[in-house]
């Protein structure tokens, strides 16, 4: 089998000895393709079974193996790629995906249309991290959210996104909200001479996703926020392929079940930094270490690396840590995470005694100089 | 808050004492709605925060709490319901959903259009379990798969489904496969006087899902197979709402990350038997205990119960255990699981020394009489 017609997935799984590991690797290779015991596979179909590499030991009871699959098995379909990658083995205890290479199927994936360079160009910001905050809370009217947006823009924030919980609720319907927020931000931009980017949340059933994205663009949005694990992962690709020509920021809602378990699911760096990137995200939000979520500092650094490292022809994308980031700490996070980062600040802005504008100004100063 | 305008989610989480538990419940109620610390929520928006019930202790370190949410927070959107249900807390360590009640949002969910009674009517089978097998392997041509389908129909199987790994690969393209399999099955039905049901796999990007479903119907398919966690969960609802008028069998590919971890994700019974049922599945396949997957017998019995128990206006649906079920064991599984079950048999049919027809005949006899 030549790599010209294959793709590969790296799995980590439970095994005690090298022969246990080889057995499990063979089981996975069967499960994800012909889904039959080897003895029931006629010789002519054996070519479609995945081909495991040598197994390597990761720890006392964990081994790894890369399985190479023929592209024919996934056909021409991103969803079938996902199925071969992790369909049935997602239900086996202790199996985790720790890497993948789309190989000859790379052209199935649109990849990021903007990436780090594209977003920097839109924001007019080089040589420093970018800042981002979320409009909240659900329940606020479009006027109230627009006022916050205007204040954040005056304060100098680079990107304003909707909270991922803002959809099309009656308190601030999508179209009204986007209109009001764009107007408020443009008014502030006139004062400051800056170009603040606004990313409304377009997460909706995919039947409506592209029309909602087009509506957002026609109303003046600068980018789009989507929660791919809620829409279905291929919605991200649909958006990236659509020619909408706006950067996409992806939110991790509903994705924790894949990414927080040490011994199952998909490594967070691979899931956010490779899978979502291949599918078309230009920036991926993830819960920062030390906040109210699950990841260790090492996992966060791995996510950052995966977002920025060479990966086929896919542009590097912005890791966007959120949680536990405020004016005081952002300097330290800059040192740890580097300039090619979007720092997402949330609750602390909303609690500043001197109000949103001042809070954002102080944060932005720290992002630029801190 | 009256239950007329709420829905509720039951969470289990890590806590040592009742006050720890109350704190975590309050944190979840904030996280899933306003996503701000309580101190940053202006009084007018506090009505949108979820309302936790009393917490109850489940084990030494696990507590449970039901949080009631205003329907306004989810608006009119199944995806936003999913986001409020589990969006951000999916990423918190140790949080698991153990039940939910769509409450006033029940009308958002199409529910099963056929359910147990509807599928029984199509199959012409009452007072006994149904049998099902999968056409395999990927790599086989449509002619080869059709031959297997014809043999299974002669043998008397109730439902023939595509393997979930059959999509639109060049070896057996969707349209050619469905045509060939329908023809072979109808030919066998003429011989036997039976009405074998054929459920092709229509899992594809949702832009094409409905047209693929319509194509399947126009070619004579009797039902549809879909992997909702691969398409995105709302695709299931889109299909059920579409008026396609075919029963939907849902496959668990890619869903294990939600359902196999004891302390996170979503309880398997709730995920398969309530969430997928509300979204429109008429039968849900799950990996049977004792096979090559994760669930205990108790979990399987819980899934069965959830599929069949009263749940608002949603019809009871068929649990469809697969894995470890063969001619010898199916009698025992009938005793354990009852008549309102579809028994999915796989590899053992393909390994019978006397061929597929005989294998299916023996299995079907055991399903009916065993």
């Amino acid at each position: 089998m030549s790599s010209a017609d294959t793709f590969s997935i790296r799995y980590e799984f439970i095994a005690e000895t090298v022969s246990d590991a080889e057995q499990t690797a063979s089981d996975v290779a069967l499960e994800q393709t012909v889904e039959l015991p080897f003895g029931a596979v006629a010789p002519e179909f054996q070519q479609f079974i995945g081909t495991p590499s040598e197994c390597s030991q990761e720890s006392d009871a964990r081994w790894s193996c890369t399985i190479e699959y023929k592209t024919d098995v996934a056909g021409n379909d991103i969803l079938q790629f996902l199925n071969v990658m992790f369909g049935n083995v997602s239900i086996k205890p202790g199996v985790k995906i720790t890497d993948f290479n789309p190989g000859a199927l790379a052209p199935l994936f649109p990849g990021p249309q903007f990436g780090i360079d594209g977003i920097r160009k839109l924001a007019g910001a080089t040589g420093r991290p970018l800042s981002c905050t979320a409009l909240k809370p659900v329940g606020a009217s479009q006027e109230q959210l627009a006022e916050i947006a205007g204040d954040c823009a005056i304060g100098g924030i680079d990107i304003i996104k909707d909270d991922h919980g803002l959809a099309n609720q009656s308190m601030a319907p999508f179209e009204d909200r986007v209109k009001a927020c764009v107007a408020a931000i443009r008014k502030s931009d006139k004062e400051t001479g800056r170009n603040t980017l606004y990313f409304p949340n377009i997460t909706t059933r995919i039947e409506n996703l592209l029309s909602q994205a087009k509506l957002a663009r026609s109303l003046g949005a600068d980018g789009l926020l989507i929660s791919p694990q809620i829409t279905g992962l291929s919605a991200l690709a649909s958006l990236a392929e659509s020619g909408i020509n706006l950067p996409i920021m992806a939110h991790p809602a509903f994705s924790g079940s894949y990414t927080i378990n040490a011994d199952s699911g998909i490594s967070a760096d691979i899931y956010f930094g490779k899978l979502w990137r291949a599918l078309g995200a230009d920036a991926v939000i993830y819960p920062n270490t030390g906040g109210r979520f699950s990841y260790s500092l090492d996992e966060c650094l791995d996510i950052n690396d995966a977002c920025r490292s060479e990966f086929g022809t896919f542009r590097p994308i912005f890791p966007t840590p959120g949680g536990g980031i405020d004016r005081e700490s952002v300097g330290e996070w800059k040192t740890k995470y580097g300039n090619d980062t979007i720092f997402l600040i949330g609750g602390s802005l909303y609690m500043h005694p001197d109000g949103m504008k001042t809070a954002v100004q102080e944060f932005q100063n720290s992002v630029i100089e801190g």
Side-chain angles (χ1 to χ4, degrees), chain A:
Chain A
M1 198 185 299
S2 90
S3 66
D5 63 356
T6 66
F7 62 99
S8 63
I9 313 289
R10 189 159 180 81
Y11 301 92
E12 192 187 287
F13 44 78
I14 304 162
E16 305 243 314
T17 64
V18 64
S19 67
D20 282 357
E22 284 167 0
Q23 183 60 53
T24 300
S26 297
D27 291 348
V28 172
L30 287 163
E31 185 73 54
Q32 297 306 96
T33 55
V34 293
E35 213 196 324
L36 283 170
F38 186 76
V41 184
E44 64 181 308
F45 304 132
Q46 291 174 7
Q47 60 172 313
F48 297 105
I49 300 171
T51 306
S53 70
E54 265 186 41
C55 296
S56 57
Q57 188 163 17
E58 302 293 337
S59 65
D60 273 4
R62 304 281 297 171
W63 290 68
S64 283
C65 174
T66 298
I67 298 183
E68 205 172 1
Y69 297 104
K70 289 193 85 159
T71 54
D72 283 345
V73 175
N76 229 358
D77 191 332
I78 286 179
L79 296 194
Q80 186 56 13
F81 179 96
L82 295 175
N83 181 50
V84 177
M85 180 184 217
F86 200 47
N88 270 9
V89 294
S90 75
I91 320 170
K92 287 211 178 200
V95 179
K96 182 163 188 163
I97 289 178
T98 57
D99 204 358
F100 75 99
N101 183 346
L105 288 183
L108 275 189
F109 293 86
Q113 306 296 299
F114 287 79
I116 291 175
D117 289 347
I119 291 180
R120 282 197 180 285
K121 212 169 278 178
L122 291 178
T126 51
R128 64 165 178 86
L130 270 63
S131 62
C132 178
T133 193
L135 300 177
K136 307 181 184 185
V138 64
S141 67
Q142 58 267 25
E143 292 83 8
Q144 289 169 317
L145 294 166
E147 189 185 337
I148 298 170
D151 285 352
C152 290
I154 288 283
I157 202 101
D158 293 305
I159 301 173
I160 298 168
K161 73 172 187 72
D162 283 348
D163 186 53
H164 72 288
L166 298 178
N168 193 29
Q169 293 97 337
S170 60
M171 300 82 84
F174 180 77
E175 182 166 356
D176 297 342
R177 180 173 82 247
V178 177
K179 262 187 205 160
C181 291
V182 167
I185 292 168
R186 295 298 164 250
K187 186 160 173 275
S188 297
D189 282 352
K190 267 201 179 158
E191 273 185 54
T192 62
R194 296 181 76 261
N195 179 33
T196 313
L197 304 181
Y198 173 47
F199 288 32
N201 176 32
I202 59 155
T203 303
T204 187
R205 288 169 69 165
I206 187 159
E207 297 92 324
N208 308 319
L209 191 74
L210 287 183
S211 59
Q212 190 127 319
K214 282 177 194 160
L215 177 60
R217 190 185 54 187
S218 74
L219 296 173
D222 306 286
L224 303 167
L225 181 78
I226 182 174
S227 300
Q229 199 56 63
I230 291 186
T231 56
L233 291 176
S234 69
L236 186 50
S238 299
L239 212 52
E241 288 166 356
S242 70
I244 189 79
N245 201 27
L246 292 177
I248 303 169
M249 182 176 267
H251 190 281
F254 221 83
S255 71
S257 300
Y258 291 106
T259 57
I260 66 169
N261 294 294
D263 292 347
S264 65
I266 305 174
S267 295
D269 56 332
I270 301 306
Y271 182 83
F272 294 119
K274 292 188 87 167
L275 186 55
W276 283 16
R277 178 176 167 192
L279 289 167
D282 298 289
V284 290
I285 298 172
Y286 70 84
N288 193 29
T289 193
R292 53 200 198 277
F293 294 100
S294 297
Y295 301 129
S296 68
L297 177 60
D298 279 346
E299 285 175 294
C300 294
L301 291 168
D302 286 346
I303 294 171
N304 297 350
D305 278 349
C307 287
R308 301 170 188 142
S309 296
E310 194 175 318
F311 177 34
T313 59
F314 303 129
R315 293 180 172 87
I317 63 172
F318 267 120
T320 307
I325 291 171
D326 59 21
R327 180 175 64 87
E328 264 109 55
S329 67
V330 73
E332 196 187 314
W333 291 117
K334 271 178 72 168
T335 309
K336 284 184 182 138
Y337 289 173
N339 277 344
D340 282 338
T341 311
I342 299 174
F343 288 107
L344 177 57
I345 183 167
S348 68
L349 287 185
Y350 286 76
M351 299 179 80
H352 196 290
D354 299 333
M356 185 62 75
K357 278 184 219 178
T358 308
V360 173
Q361 272 161 354
E362 290 178 1
F363 179 64
Q364 191 68 9
N365 287 340
S366 302
V367 167
I368 297 177
E369 294 152 24

